[in-house]
Amino acid sequence: QVQLVESGGGSVQAGGSLRLSCAASGYTRSRYCMGWFRQAPGKEREGVATLDSRGSTTYADSVKGRFTISQDNAKNILYLQMNSLKPEDTAMYYCAAALGYYTSGYCYSRDYALNYWGKGTLVTISS
């Protein structure tokens, strides 16, 4: 059973930084894509950043240059380093994964393909 547990959310002022972590367990990491998605109050869920087992990454235009997705294979942890945070980054952030030969771009644009989701961690950015 695949389990994803997010942590690292919190409240910071605009311009600050946070690092989200997603601890993954229960699957063989040979073929997969994983990523971060977010949902702000009253808005639809959107992709933030994804990566695949080949090392390819995809980012939302709104976070390019500010956020970095990475992973620690030894610890089975997915990270999202978020810098220069803006109030519009306020949202619940979810970690998600799909097992198989999916590219990061495919997973980014088709979140329905990711069949494993964490419960989320809340990020609040004040101006």
Side-chain angles (χ1 to χ4, degrees), residues 19-73:
R19 188 176 77 161
L20 306 184
S21 299
C22 172
S25 62
Y27 67 97
T28 301
R29 298 173 57 85
S30 59
R31 298 166 292 178
Y32 60 89
C33 70
M34 295 185 71
W36 293 94
F37 296 78
R38 67 186 181 187
Q39 187 166 20
K43 295 187 177 181
E44 292 189 355
R45 187 171 62 196
E46 63 177 358
V48 177
T50 55
L51 61 75
D52 61 38
S53 50
R54 298 173 182 84
S56 174
T57 58
T58 300
Y59 291 91
D61 287 342
S62 60
V63 307
K64 283 180 181 177
R66 300 189 298 123
F67 291 11
T68 303
I69 188 170
S70 63
Q71 59 184 344
D72 184 328
N73 287 333

Side-chain angles (χ1 to χ4, degrees), residues 98-121:
L99 304 184
Y101 282 122
Y102 300 106
T103 65
S104 65
Y106 183 93
C107 289
Y108 173 85
S109 60
R110 298 171 179 81
D111 62 358
Y112 53 81
L114 291 99
N115 48 352
Y116 301 103
W117 291 81
K119 294 183 178 180
T121 185

